[in-house]
Amino acid sequence: MAEVFKNFINGKWVESKSGETFTNVNPANSDDVLGEFQKSNEDDVNDAIAAAADAYKSWRLMPAPKRGEILYRVANRLLADKERISQEMTREMGKVIKETRGDTQEAIDMTYYMAGEGRRLYGMTTPSEMESKFNMTIRQPLGVCSFITPWNFPIAIPSWKMMPALICGNTIVIKPATDTPLSVVNLMKACEAEGVPAGVVNMVTGSGGTVGTPMMKHKDVKVVSFTGSTEVGRIVAGACAPNFKHTCLEMGGKNVQMVMDDAKLELAVEGALWGAFGTTGQRCTATSRLVVHEKVYDKFLEMLVEKVAKLKVGNGLDESIDMGPCINQDQLDTVLKYIDIATKDGGRLVAGGKRLTGGDYDKGFFVQPTIFADITQDMTIWKEEIFGPVLAVSKCNSFEQAIEMANDTVYGLSASLYTQNVNNAYTAMRDIETGIFYVNAPTIGAETHLPFGGVKETGNGHREASEAALDVYSEWKSIYVDYSGKLQRPQID
Ligand code: NAD
């Protein structure tokens, strides 16, 4: 009998009022059931929001350094439990164990970082234009925050939202993706064990429509932070607009790696392999387009295809495996659909292209790492996010054309350039239309103390991680103290 996991509301583990559950199964092995999780409904959401609203009254008054001390202990707890959490994450999400260790580490880094913010949360003081008057700004929390998160970074992304929100003095309700609720259970358990007061963090599991919708629309929710597809992001933006809720959206990508004729090709091949096939291509920052200078195009492709053939696909718990499965049947079907479309559009298949079957492969959603060469800008796989291990390779004839091609997308998350030419590197830093840019490194690999997010249809102007995340979870209050003892009128006296 599979273990039954409950919702976490007001410091207690409780069943959904629906009386229903859903099953969480390992995408690499259908025999491995992680457990039953609550199929929650609107009543559960209302309970969680009421608990968060109540807890907000005292949490916002706790001195930020004290909140920071609690987060510091949560980080220590995550660190102590890192291996178990990472093993469970590989089982529920499928990505290989070295990557889930990285995912957990990202949550640890973010928690330590935001714990430290408890002793900063800087505002500013600035001179007044009047005599004997003092001007300053302070950050203020907003209240209850709703978080809707995806499955590809099951603990890192929740922590990117939770930790800055908590240090600013907000309280939270989170709905994890239905494919990866256990990782957020682990996050809640760390908070519970280390003394985060009841009601400050709450978790409600279940579907986007049933649980996500009331989380966005409830009148007591002041901030909605969503990471997921651009399609669902549009729904979230619409739902939050009528009440002018603060809305932070992190959405899709169609990231490009550019390889110039002066690049170190071995390094660029390694970067492309890691960028395109790490996390089975299921990263918002995954390299899904590769633009290679015509002078090195054939050689680069040959080197890349040789390396791809050596990648081992399988169950990510095995340390020797390079690439795990797709997250679920739908995602596998999507990947196979795009492989079909690319073939029909005239893409030249140079690696992979098939579902992996036979033996243990039949228990999971495995597909070969796939590369299409000679992709042109009118083809579907040039334009649409696939979110799987499919790389589209195109030729350019100059650095300028590479930049033009890189920017030819509605998305704007991440890009990378391999070159030894410092002038081109700086020109690209200026002209590339993305929120994240790498020189001589792959499109993936963000660090927690730099802003994370995208431009164009990837985001709505906010950033996660770093100090920039504090702007999502606090509002500025400007304060003027006049100690002159007389009426002073700015702009008039
Ligand atoms: P998704 O949009 O399908 O789901 C994301 C979350 O939204 C899930 O928790 C889901 O249950 C919920 N949801 C679905 N429909 C909803 C609705 N109608 N109302 C409210 N909530 C709803 O995305 P996914 O498949 O989980 O993740 C993949 C997508 O996420 C990709 O497009 C990827 O690029 C994007 N992503 C972006 C970033 C980033 O930081 N930019 C990071 C990771 C993933």
Side-chain angles (χ1 to χ4, degrees):
M1 185 63 188
E3 185 173 354
V4 178
F5 293 89
K6 298 179 182 170
N7 287 333
F8 189 59
I9 298 177
N10 207 15
K12 297 196 176 62
W13 295 95
V14 293
E15 283 175 4
S16 165
K17 290 183 171 155
S18 74
E20 294 178 68
T21 60
F22 63 91
T23 311
N24 183 4
V25 180
N26 183 339
N29 177 6
S30 52
D31 295 340
D32 181 20
V33 175
L34 286 106
E36 291 290 317
F37 290 79
Q38 303 302 308
K39 200 172 186 177
S40 309
N41 61 20
E42 187 165 354
D43 292 339
D44 304 314
V45 174
N46 289 339
D47 288 351
I49 292 172
D54 198 42
Y56 176 64
K57 292 175 198 155
S58 48
W59 182 248
R60 79 179 182 92
L61 297 178
M62 182 185 285
K66 294 272 173 232
R67 293 196 292 258
E69 282 168 24
I70 297 177
L71 293 196
Y72 190 82
R73 294 202 303 267
V74 172
N76 283 346
R77 166 73 56 160
L78 292 172
L79 185 60
D81 290 346
K82 178 176 168 181
E83 189 56 26
R84 177 186 58 80
I85 292 171
S86 307
Q87 297 266 345
E88 289 181 358
M89 198 191 304
T90 288
R91 284 176 54 214
E92 77 169 346
M93 191 272 166
K95 66 184 170 186
V96 299
I97 185 70
K98 66 172 178 285
E99 292 191 44
T100 52
R101 286 184 192 124
D103 196 312
T104 311
Q105 187 59 46
E106 207 165 319
I108 295 165
D109 293 345
M110 182 58 75
T111 310
Y112 281 132
Y113 180 92
M114 289 300 164
E117 270 307 322
R119 288 192 181 267
R120 288 186 292 270
L121 285 180
Y122 296 134
M124 64 176 176
T125 61
T126 183
S128 167
E129 56 187 69
M130 322 302 296
E131 234 178 74
S132 299
K133 194 176 169 197
F134 189 85
N135 293 352
M136 63 184 160
T137 61
I138 57 170
R139 287 187 184 275
Q140 297 256 273
L142 288 106
V144 180
C145 306
S146 281
F147 300 150
I148 300 174
T149 55
W151 43 263
N152 64 338
F153 278 84
I155 201 164
I157 289 178
S159 80
W160 292 1
K161 300 182 190 302
M162 257 173 72
M163 302 312 164
L166 294 177
I167 201 65
C168 287
N170 305 281
T171 54
I172 72 115
V173 178
I174 182 167
K175 186 204 87 63
T178 43
D179 286 304
T180 55
L182 183 55
S183 297
V184 175
V185 167
N186 283 329
L187 198 49
M188 293 295 122
K189 282 185 178 167
C191 291
E192 182 188 29
E194 298 304 334
V196 174
V200 170
V201 298
N202 304 274
M203 179 199 71
V204 182
T205 56
S207 79
T210 311
V211 177
T213 304
M215 281 177 66
M216 300 184 291
K217 295 195 168 169
H218 197 291
K219 67 174 178 30
D220 289 343
V221 169
K222 306 299 177 198
V223 183
V224 176
S225 181
F226 165 85
T227 300
S229 59
T230 297
E231 191 188 355
V232 176
R234 268 202 189 88
I235 298 172
V236 176
C240 295
N243 295 314
F244 308 110
K245 291 185 200 299
H246 286 216
T247 314
C248 173
L249 305 171
E250 294 292 346
M251 301 169 286
K254 191 71 189 171
N255 314 291
V256 68
Q257 175 180 319
M258 297 169 277
V259 182
M260 294 299 99
D261 53 338
D262 60 0
K264 294 199 166 159
L265 291 192
E266 279 289 346
L267 187 69
V269 166
E270 274 180 55
L273 277 179
W274 178 227
F277 304 118
T279 322
T280 319
Q282 301 171 124
R283 283 192 186 219
C284 49
T285 51
T287 308
S288 55
R289 297 178 298 150
L290 193 58
V291 172
V292 185
H293 197 286
E294 60 187 8
K295 284 191 190 153
V296 293
Y297 186 81
D298 291 337
K299 171 116 180 45
F300 185 85
L301 256 185
E302 190 187 311
M303 289 165 71
L304 183 64
V305 167
E306 194 188 314
K307 286 264 166 77
V308 169
K310 293 185 184 139
L311 291 180
K312 278 176 74 180
V313 182
N315 189 325
L317 287 176
D318 175 344
E319 303 266 0
S320 72
I321 292 294
D322 298 302
M323 194 179 100
C326 296
I327 183 71
N328 54 32
Q329 185 69 51
D330 277 357
Q331 197 59 42
L332 174 67
D333 291 344
T334 302
V335 169
L336 296 173
K337 178 189 85 181
Y338 277 108
I339 289 173
D340 195 38
I341 291 173
T343 309
K344 287 188 181 132
D345 280 354
R348 178 161 61 95
L349 183 69
V350 291
K354 290 204 168 56
R355 180 177 183 169
L356 286 159
T357 52
D360 285 345
Y361 284 139
D362 289 338
K363 294 182 182 173
F365 309 110
F366 295 98
V367 64
Q368 291 176 316
T370 297
I371 302 177
F372 282 97
D374 306 343
I375 295 301
T376 51
Q377 286 166 267
D378 54 338
M379 292 184 189
T380 304
I381 70 159
W382 171 266
K383 297 179 201 161
E384 295 182 12
E385 184 182 45
I386 301 172
F387 224 55
V390 181
L391 179 61
V393 189
S394 310
K395 202 182 278 186
C396 68
N397 55 29
S398 65
F399 166 73
E400 290 71 24
Q401 192 190 18
I403 296 288
E404 177 272 312
M405 291 171 77
N407 288 339
D408 177 31
T409 170
V410 296
Y411 298 109
L413 186 54
S414 180
S416 101
L417 172 68
Y418 281 77
T419 184
Q420 295 300 304
N421 181 324
V422 72
N423 292 345
N424 284 348
Y426 272 87
T427 303
M429 285 178 220
R430 183 193 64 198
D431 291 344
I432 205 83
E433 296 167 357
T434 58
I436 305 169
F437 181 60
Y438 296 90
V439 179
N440 293 327
T443 60
I444 65 179
E447 299 178 29
T448 51
H449 53 297
L450 273 75
F452 184 97
V455 302
K456 293 154 89 173
E457 293 193 12
T458 294
N460 65 339
H462 296 285
R463 289 293 182 272
E464 301 207 275
S466 80
E467 199 189 339
L470 303 175
D471 292 333
V472 176
Y473 301 106
S474 63
E475 284 203 287
W476 287 114
K477 186 176 278 175
S478 299
I479 299 173
Y480 304 89
V481 182
D482 192 325
Y483 56 99
S484 69
K486 59 182 184 201
L487 173 67
Q488 300 196 89
R489 298 169 301 177
Q491 295 94 38
I492 294 172
D493 292 330

